[in-house]
Amino acid sequence: MVLAVLSCLLAFAASVAVERLAVLPGGKRPSLRALPWRLAAFATLYLFWLGIWGRPVLAALACLITVAVLTAISIRKRELVGEPLAFSDFGLIEMIVRHPDLYYTDFLAKPPFLLGAASFLAALGTWLWLEPAYTVLSPFGSAVAAALVLGGIAALWWAAGRPPLSILMGRLLPHPDPEEHIARWGLLLTLAGYALRWRGQVAAPYPADSQGRAEPAPLDPDLIIVIQFESFLDPERAGLSDVALPGLARARDLSLLHGPLRVPACGAFTMRTEHAVLTGLSDADLGFRAFDPYLARRGPAPTSLAHRLKARGFETVFMHPFRSGFFGRAKVVPRLGFDRLLFEEDFSSAERFGPYVSDRAMMRAILAEADRPPLPRLITAITMENHGPWTAGRLEGETDPTRQYLRHLGNADGAIGLLLDGLLQRRGRTLLCFFGDHPPILPGLPPTRAAETDYALLFIEDGQPLTSGRAERLSADALGRLVASLSGEAPTMRAGEAA
């Protein structure tokens, strides 16, 4: 028993130093008050590994490796998208396994990683042979220890969704600040605390948005089109390239409003911007649900633009030319009020550019839906063509990631022109909003927590655009509330439990 206690304490001390590597330079010092809680979280992990291996020293090493791996992932994530590892990222594991082509995990198939994995397994086998087993706990006791840990975590998870624990967690963690909490509490305790706090929030109704502002009068359109373009932005404004985007320039000239769009993600997490525009809810409104608004598949749902319009007789259509299970959209999107869902199987014969359905094909599909009776209709489309990563072999004859991205961006710009041509010939009242979900992950574009893309908002009546050409910087949630107002909705978007 002494060996187990000593190995756990020594490994914990080492883990505190390892976790410090996940802190930004200049971050706050660790909190002394949090040390007992950090030790409790680490001891729980230690007891689990002790139950699995039955060897106290190996259990301590397994804990240290677990913390080191989480720290390395957090550092790598911050390098790519500008934010540390979050509890919600564990919900992406299934998608990473099923869709490795969409994530930066190509190193997993490369010789250095495979050699390292083989060496690790060999070292593990040797350790299992050298260290005597069950010197602290019997085989039965080890199994009981592992079961107690898992059962305790399940009970804590259940309790976190109910008072009094949910109230206590709300007092301890009133709002998320991952960089500060990782610095003060360490990565392991922050992940655990945030997960419990999220558990308490998802059982509660969504709050009313807190970002009300004076909105223009409704335009009463019979067709509303909301398009989220993958990784779309003005490359000149972003300092990436001076390549011309005539379609975007034309849309700006014809627009009611356009400009930079502050988005809640950089390089990934497209569902955050998607959710913000559809619901008008900001990160502050969402709290701990903001890390992945689509993580909860049950419980209260926010009131969205689709809910409001459906109540007024609109047909609500959601189009995304990729797999329906990605981000759980097959379950989440109906909760947001959409009736007709069109996914990859509905675009089986559509034109592709690179590995995905082209943006031009998407615009043709939108125009085909535009006047299909009966009206009125809301069409929300999430494009896919310019989804990263941009690696060798994606486009024939082009290996540079930035040039690949710019070719796809040019296609998106041409698709905007194609859509405008079609809508300018339409008889009726059309409200069009398009925007980029997040900046891309590219060598010349470092991640930032103040990420921006671009948007344009147009109204076309019987082929005549209502123009002002006014430029204004907006947040994604503010854009959502503006679209709701122009669609004939209340002055500000509200949130509550969906019907």
Side-chain angles (χ1 to χ4, degrees):
M1 182 63 69
V2 173
L3 179 61
V5 173
L6 286 176
S7 60
C8 178
L9 290 176
L10 288 173
F12 171 67
S15 74
V16 170
V18 171
E19 284 185 305
R20 196 63 191 171
L21 298 175
V23 177
L24 284 172
K28 292 186 177 181
R29 292 183 178 182
S31 168
L32 293 178
R33 292 182 178 181
L35 275 179
W37 295 104
R38 295 178 71 175
L39 178 57
F42 190 86
T44 301
L45 181 63
Y46 177 82
L47 188 59
F48 171 77
W49 284 124
L50 182 62
I52 295 296
W53 300 116
R55 295 165 171 82
V57 179
L58 180 57
L61 183 61
C63 287
L64 194 55
I65 291 174
T66 301
V67 172
V69 169
L70 293 176
T71 299
I73 293 173
S74 186
I75 292 171
R76 179 58 175 162
K77 181 187 173 187
R78 188 186 285 117
E79 291 173 349
L80 290 173
V81 299
E83 61 183 68
L85 182 67
F87 73 95
S88 57
D89 295 330
F90 293 95
L92 302 177
I93 292 176
E94 179 188 359
M95 290 193 295
I96 294 173
V97 173
R98 295 178 63 183
H99 312 292
D101 50 320
L102 294 178
Y103 294 90
Y104 291 77
T105 57
D106 55 329
F107 68 92
L108 296 176
K110 292 183 178 180
F113 179 84
L114 296 176
L115 180 61
S119 301
F120 172 78
L121 292 175
L124 176 61
T126 303
W127 196 298
L128 290 171
W129 179 64
L130 290 175
E131 184 180 359
Y134 308 116
T135 56
V136 177
L137 297 173
S138 66
F140 176 75
S142 296
V144 169
L148 285 175
V149 169
L150 295 176
I153 291 174
L156 190 62
W157 186 253
W158 178 86
R162 297 161 175 79
L165 185 55
S166 61
I167 297 174
L168 175 62
M169 292 303 301
R171 291 173 179 171
L172 290 173
L173 289 168
H175 56 80
D177 189 347
E179 296 292 6
E180 178 175 345
H181 286 130
I182 288 173
R184 299 282 286 164
W185 295 8
L187 180 60
L188 192 63
L189 183 60
T190 298
L191 291 173
Y194 276 39
L196 293 176
R197 184 70 173 92
W198 175 87
R199 176 76 173 106
Q201 274 201 335
V202 294
Y206 282 76
D209 78 79
S210 58
Q211 309 293 322
R213 51 168 272 181
E215 301 286 7
L219 296 172
D220 194 26
D222 63 351
L223 175 65
I224 302 168
I225 302 174
V226 178
I227 306 172
Q228 178 172 279
F229 279 96
E230 177 64 45
S231 303
F232 183 86
L233 49 67
D234 182 344
E236 184 174 12
R237 185 184 58 78
L240 187 63
S241 170
D242 60 357
V243 63
L245 296 181
L248 177 60
R250 181 185 177 199
R252 286 169 170 169
D253 290 340
L254 299 177
S255 70
L256 281 171
L257 197 66
H258 70 270
L261 184 70
R262 295 191 302 272
V263 292
C266 185
F269 302 106
T270 183
M271 70 290 196
R272 294 181 186 173
T273 307
E274 183 179 323
H275 187 272
V277 173
L278 288 175
T279 65
L281 294 173
S282 67
D283 279 0
D285 295 322
L286 294 176
F288 290 81
R289 291 181 273 211
F291 292 99
D292 184 350
Y294 287 178
L295 187 59
R297 313 287 163 80
R298 293 179 295 178
T303 300
S304 74
L305 175 66
H307 285 127
R308 301 284 188 174
L309 292 173
K310 186 163 65 170
R312 292 172 48 206
F314 275 68
E315 183 191 28
T316 54
V317 182
F318 184 91
M319 305 170 64
H320 180 50
F322 197 62
R323 294 151 201 168
S324 60
F326 200 65
F327 289 136
R329 283 191 175 99
K331 295 181 179 179
V332 173
V333 170
R335 283 165 48 85
L336 290 175
F338 288 92
D339 295 319
R340 291 184 58 227
L341 313 181
L342 304 177
F343 288 112
E344 187 175 44
E345 58 272 17
D346 299 290
F347 293 87
S348 57
S349 60
E351 170 194 67
R352 290 178 176 256
F353 191 89
Y356 307 116
V357 172
S358 73
D359 288 347
R360 285 181 174 272
M362 279 291 288
M363 299 309 108
R364 295 188 189 101
I366 291 171
L367 289 171
E369 285 283 332
D371 283 316
R372 184 184 55 80
L375 291 175
R377 179 172 295 115
L378 165 67
I379 301 173
T380 296
I382 312 297
T383 73
M384 194 67 191
E385 179 185 328
N386 209 3
H387 198 294
W390 300 270
T391 55
R394 178 182 178 121
L395 296 180
E396 185 177 353
E398 185 57 79
T399 59
D400 180 74
T402 300
R403 286 198 292 267
Q404 287 187 359
Y405 167 78
L406 291 175
R407 283 187 63 183
H408 288 296
L409 185 65
N411 289 347
D413 186 71
I416 291 171
L418 176 67
L419 180 64
L420 291 177
D421 288 341
L423 295 180
L424 287 169
Q425 298 176 28
R426 179 179 183 269
R427 305 296 296 178
R429 302 164 65 87
T430 306
L431 180 65
L432 168 65
C433 173
F434 69 83
F435 56 94
D437 57 353
H438 54 68
I441 298 175
L442 290 173
L445 204 61
T448 173
R449 297 183 70 181
E452 290 187 338
T453 60
D454 288 87
Y455 78 94
L457 186 62
L458 299 88
F459 180 73
I460 304 171
E461 182 174 7
D462 295 333
Q464 297 299 315
L466 180 62
T467 63
S468 75
R470 186 163 61 93
E472 181 179 346
R473 178 176 273 103
L474 291 179
S475 63
D477 55 286
L479 178 62
R481 293 191 297 274
L482 180 57
V483 171
S485 177
L486 294 173
S487 301
E489 297 301 304
T492 56
M493 177 75 75
R494 296 295 174 191
E497 187 169 356

